[in-house]
């Protein structure tokens, strides 16, 4: 009886000590988890179990690139070991944000790849070893964001292309080799974001045209080189984003109008002539021609766009519409979006 009582007292004592230790760990961590610069495995375990959510980086009211409802933001974390990564990988929230990491070992990458979250952000990494790329490609979530990576080896590109999630973000790349472009084009999922590319060789452009996923973002390009053996008419991707093409010549517009995908996005503040607008009007995509950056809208351009063959025409950055421009657009036979209008006579 005495021994049993001692065991009971000991158990209660240990329980109290453990509860007190956990409370201490929780108290040590700031409410804004982005202020955390280092974590022990024990603290990481407490965060995963008890943290309810924290401040997220927002853009126009939306977290990009993947919509988050709950997340564990750790943007201030500068280093991560295997033991701590293993605790964080148990997180089941929408997103795990580790944008403060500037280095990632192959071993830590392999542990993070087992994370139960839906999206992982590693935008602080500027480079990625082939081993880390191979490990991260095994992540089973929906989105993998590596927007800080500025250089990607052909081997790393080949590995990342095997990522099975719908969203792969590599917006930090300013250039890409032909082998890397060929590898990335084999990513058959929903969205491939290469919005940082400012230059693209004809061979690389031709390789990217083999991408037949949902969306390809090339928002950094100011022009698309003419491939030798293909045209945009051979491109099977369903949506093409070219937000960096601010000025379009009629020849460029004719090149883009040949695109056979569902929607063409030129929302980077495009300034086009009536001649270029007339060429763009030949685009037949079933999901629409997006010219949300087009402002102001002249009557001449409006008349040309009034002949657009796509069933949807988006001009949501137009804030003022003259009577002459309205007359020009009135000939359009599809669905017209003018969501940005602030004045209308």
């Amino acid at each position: 009886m005495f021994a049993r009582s001692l065991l009971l007292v000991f158990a209660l004592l240990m329980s109290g000590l453990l509860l007190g230790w956990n409370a201490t760990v929780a108290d040590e961590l700031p409410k804004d988890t982005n202020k955390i610069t280092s974590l022990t495995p024990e603290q990481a375990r407490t965060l995963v179990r008890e943290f309810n959510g924290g401040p997220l980086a927002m853009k126009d009211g939306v977290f990009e690139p993947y919509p988050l409802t709950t997340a564990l933001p750790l943007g201030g974390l500068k280093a991560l070991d295997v033991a701590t990564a293993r605790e964080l990988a148990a997180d089941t929230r929408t997103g795990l944000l580790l944008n403060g990491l500037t280095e990632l070992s192959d071993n830590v990458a392999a542990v993070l790849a087992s994370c139960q979250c839906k999206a992982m952000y590693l935008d602080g990494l500027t480079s990625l070893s082939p081993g880390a790329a191979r490990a991260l490609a095994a992540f089973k979530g929906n989105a993998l964001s590596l927007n800080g990576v500025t250089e990607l080896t052909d081997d790393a590109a080949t590995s990342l292309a095997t990522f099975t999630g719908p969203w792969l973000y590599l917006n930090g790349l300013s250039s890409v080799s032909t082998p890397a472009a060929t590898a990335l084009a084999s990513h058959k999922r929903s969205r491939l974001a290469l919005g940082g590319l400012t230059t693209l060789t004809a061979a690389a452009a031709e390789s990217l045209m083999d991408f037949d996923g949902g969306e390809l973002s090339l928002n950094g390009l100011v022009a698309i080189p003419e491939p030798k053996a293909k045209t945009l008419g051979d491109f099977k991707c369903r949506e093409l984003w070219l937000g960096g093409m601010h000025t379009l010549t009629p020849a460029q517009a004719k090149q883009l109008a040949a695109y056979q995908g569902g929607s063409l996005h030129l929302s980077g503040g495009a300034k086009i002539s009536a001649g270029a607008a007339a060429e763009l009007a030949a685009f037949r995509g079933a999901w629409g021609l997006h010219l949300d950056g087009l402002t102001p809208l002249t009557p001449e351009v409006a008349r040309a766009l009034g002949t657009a063959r796509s069933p949807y025409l988006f001009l949501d950055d137009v804030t003022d519409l003259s009577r002459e421009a309205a007359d020009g657009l009135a000939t359009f036979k599809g669905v017209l979006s003018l969501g940005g209008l602030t004045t209308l006579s």
Side-chain angles (χ1 to χ4, degrees), residues 78-319:
K78 303 301 182 183
L80 191 61
D81 58 42
V82 169
T84 305
R86 188 172 291 115
E87 298 296 340
L88 293 178
D91 188 68
T92 58
R93 274 169 274 252
T94 305
L96 178 60
L97 283 64
L98 296 168
N99 291 334
L101 297 181
T102 56
E103 294 182 357
L104 187 68
S105 70
D106 296 358
N107 291 336
V108 171
V111 173
L112 288 178
S114 67
C115 187
Q116 302 300 303
C117 58
K118 298 296 187 293
M120 188 182 304
Y121 298 84
L122 295 163
D123 291 344
L125 300 177
T126 57
S127 62
L128 197 65
S129 71
R134 188 162 49 250
L136 289 175
F139 174 54
K140 300 303 181 184
N142 291 335
L144 178 59
S145 183
L146 297 162
N147 285 328
V149 173
T150 56
E151 294 182 4
L152 196 65
T153 66
D154 297 345
D155 288 342
T158 299
S159 294
L160 288 178
T162 65
F163 172 59
T164 58
W167 288 274
L168 178 59
Y169 292 89
L170 292 163
N171 285 316
L173 297 176
S174 58
S175 62
V176 65
S177 69
T178 300
T182 301
L184 292 173
S186 68
H187 177 68
K188 301 299 183 183
R189 305 297 286 172
S190 179
R191 189 173 195 189
L192 175 61
L194 299 170
L197 293 180
T198 55
T199 60
L200 196 62
T201 65
E206 192 163 305
S207 294
L208 285 176
M209 285 184 186
D210 289 330
F211 176 70
D212 60 0
E215 303 175 30
L216 177 62
S217 172
L218 296 171
N219 284 331
L221 293 180
V222 296
I224 295 181
E226 190 70 54
K228 296 179 180 179
K230 298 178 182 179
T231 68
L232 279 177
D234 300 308
F235 197 12
K236 307 303 182 189
C237 176
R238 293 186 290 278
E239 295 190 52
L240 180 59
W241 295 70
L242 294 165
M245 299 184 70
H246 301 291
T247 303
L248 284 180
T249 65
Q252 289 173 323
K254 184 177 181 178
Q255 179 193 22
L256 294 175
Y259 168 54
Q260 298 295 306
S263 62
L264 178 60
H265 297 258
L266 296 164
S267 54
K271 297 178 180 178
I272 59 176
S273 65
E279 295 290 354
L280 275 180
F283 173 66
R284 295 175 177 269
W287 301 339
L289 177 60
H290 296 250
L291 296 172
D292 294 343
L294 181 60
T295 181
L297 182 65
T298 66
E300 295 78 17
V301 170
R303 281 193 293 272
L305 293 177
T307 66
R309 298 183 183 183
S310 176
Y312 297 91
L313 178 60
F314 295 86
L315 301 169
D316 287 334
D317 276 351
V318 174
T319 57

Side-chain angles (χ1 to χ4, degrees), residues 29-39 47 51 55-57 72-80 84 88 96-103 121-124:
L29 300 175
K31 292 182 179 180
D32 181 357
T33 53
N34 279 314
K35 293 181 179 179
I36 297 172
T37 57
S38 63
L39 271 181
L47 270 180
F51 182 65
L56 304 178
L72 179 53
L74 292 168
L77 196 62
K78 303 301 182 183
L80 191 61
T84 305
L88 293 178
L96 178 60
L97 283 64
L98 296 168
N99 291 334
L101 297 181
T102 56
E103 294 182 357
Y121 298 84
L122 295 163
D123 291 344

